[in-house]
Amino acid sequence: MAQTIELSIDGMTCDHCVNAVTSALKSVPGVADATVSLAGKFARITGEGLDAKKLIEAVREEGYEAAVR
Ligand SMILES: [Cu+2]
């Protein structure tokens, strides 16, 4: 079943950051799409069997802070 998770993301300052977070999220198993908002400081992730912990870990590995919002 498709699901959507929203994460608040801290530390993004430019489009490079947005791209880094977007590709990190898309590399997590089960993710179909990820939309990241620089201005809104959040990410909307859609997919199947999503694990919020793994999504947050992927963002942290890129050097940004994330939390379920
Ligand atoms: Cu940046």
Side-chain angles (χ1 to χ4, degrees):
M1 211 167 76
Q3 48 177 156
T4 301
I5 290 181
E6 287 197 0
L7 299 178
S8 57
I9 313 279
D10 260 341
M12 297 189 297
T13 56
C14 68
D15 284 341
H16 172 82
C17 302
V18 171
N19 290 336
V21 170
T22 303
S23 47
L25 290 170
K26 283 185 174 172
S27 74
V28 175
V31 173
D33 199 17
T35 308
V36 178
S37 166
L38 177 60
K41 292 183 171 180
F42 75 94
R44 182 176 291 119
I45 303 103
T46 56
E48 300 202 7
L50 297 179
D51 180 345
K53 276 188 204 155
K54 284 183 183 161
L55 296 170
I56 289 169
E57 233 169 66
V59 173
R60 285 191 179 148
E61 275 173 20
E62 292 298 319
Y64 306 98
E65 202 44 58
V68 176
R69 75 166 199 173

